[in-house]
Amino acid sequence: MPVDEGREGCPKRMVHGPCGGVRSDLGCEVVPLPCPFVRLAGARAWTGGPSGTVRAPSVVLDRVGPAPVVLTDLTTEPYDRAGTTAVLQALRGSCDAVLVAEHQDQPDFPPTLTAAVLRDAGVPGWITLTCRDRNAVVLEQELAGLAEVGVDGVLCVTGDARAPGVRSGVRQVFDLDSTRLAARAAGAGLAVGVVESVQAPPIGVRPGRLLAKQRAGAHLAVLNHVSSAAALASFAAAARAVGVSVPIVAAVAVYTDERSAKGLLGFPGLH
């Protein structure tokens, strides 16, 4: 499958933008220029068609219904298998699955190895895959590996750009964006999750953008932090109105110290 070059002017080479990093002044999070997607009238529709692949079983998706499901963010030290196992043992039974993030400033084991650690610990996991550091070939390899090892699901995101001074000698790839990655994940037979930033501008295109991800193959949506329950309800209603039917998981920020709170709220699009 060829890789689209993306919209002109987008440093992440996105085709199905905008990402969640649009600033309040409609500027890009990467370069001091307006986001090229904010000039569009609406979200770009998905035209790639369904994957036609049967989805693997998923604890989280199979439990969605009359009762809510809980995904807990897995926070561990980098490259620490024993520490990760200890945290998983502490979390066992408190949630339906753990969500393994992939941060721009913190390295960790490859997703396939992390999935194996979760499997050995007996804890279902949703593994985040970003397009920042992997070209399309490596992303396909990771998807095949995750399908082989077995995960509850994969969360497909474009990925934050690296902050200035963080691994400055490493090139950021962005061969794909989250929508196109979701389609490939569905094609690999995985349960697919995607993210949407509810209050990142332009707010009006966000429901349609989530619909495009659903049509690309997403089975679950995880929302970024919002400022109020009313904002969450408004987005959910707008998403349902345009045809979004996948389960929606609301993000709940748990602050354990002032540094964590300041760090989270420093990201564009989060409230």
Side-chain angles (χ1 to χ4, degrees):
M1 182 182 296
V3 176
D4 294 328
E5 283 303 313
R7 184 163 180 80
E8 184 179 356
C10 177
K12 292 184 179 180
R13 302 168 61 197
M14 295 186 70
V15 172
H16 295 274
C19 72
V22 183
R23 301 186 184 278
S24 58
D25 62 357
L26 304 185
C28 172
E29 68 168 351
V30 184
V31 295
L33 295 171
C35 170
F37 289 97
V38 300
R39 300 190 296 268
L40 302 182
R44 177 173 177 174
W46 175 256
T47 58
S51 65
T53 301
V54 177
R55 170 182 67 80
S58 165
V59 169
V60 166
L61 293 180
D62 292 344
R63 289 180 182 174
V64 168
V69 298
V70 177
L71 295 174
T72 297
D73 187 52
L74 180 65
T75 302
T76 62
E77 294 294 326
Y79 303 135
D80 184 357
R81 181 166 187 159
T84 300
T85 300
V87 173
L88 291 170
Q89 291 172 347
L91 292 174
R92 188 199 306 270
S94 68
C95 57
D96 296 285
V98 295
L99 182 62
V100 182
E102 192 169 68
H103 303 291
Q104 52 89 21
D105 59 350
Q106 179 177 310
D108 212 334
F109 290 126
T112 305
L113 177 55
T114 301
V117 174
L118 268 62
R119 178 198 60 195
D120 294 345
V123 178
W126 282 66
I127 307 293
T128 300
L129 267 186
T130 71
C131 305
R132 176 185 55 245
D133 301 318
R134 305 176 181 92
N135 64 26
V137 173
V138 176
L139 285 168
E140 289 181 353
Q141 292 173 335
E142 291 286 4
L143 292 171
L146 290 171
E148 183 68 23
V149 172
V151 291
D152 204 62
V154 58
L155 189 70
C156 298
V157 301
T158 303
D160 298 321
R162 294 198 185 281
V166 178
R167 303 293 294 270
S168 57
V170 178
R171 178 174 298 179
Q172 303 180 86
V173 183
F174 294 115
D175 268 359
L176 302 176
D177 55 31
S178 57
T179 306
R180 292 176 288 163
L181 179 59
R184 298 195 183 199
L190 292 160
V192 181
V194 292
V195 175
E196 192 53 64
S197 294
V198 175
Q199 292 184 294
I203 295 175
V205 307
R206 299 292 171 179
R209 187 164 181 262
L210 182 54
L211 178 64
K213 294 179 181 181
Q214 174 181 293
R215 289 176 172 170
H219 306 105
L220 178 78
V222 178
L223 303 184
N224 267 329
H225 306 290
V226 297
S227 59
S228 67
L232 175 69
S234 176
F235 173 81
R240 297 302 187 215
V242 299
V244 173
S245 59
V246 297
I248 294 174
V249 178
V252 179
V254 179
Y255 303 117
T256 56
D257 54 70
E258 184 178 358
R259 182 178 65 86
S260 298
K262 287 182 177 179
L264 176 65
L265 295 178
F267 283 97
L270 302 188
H271 297 268

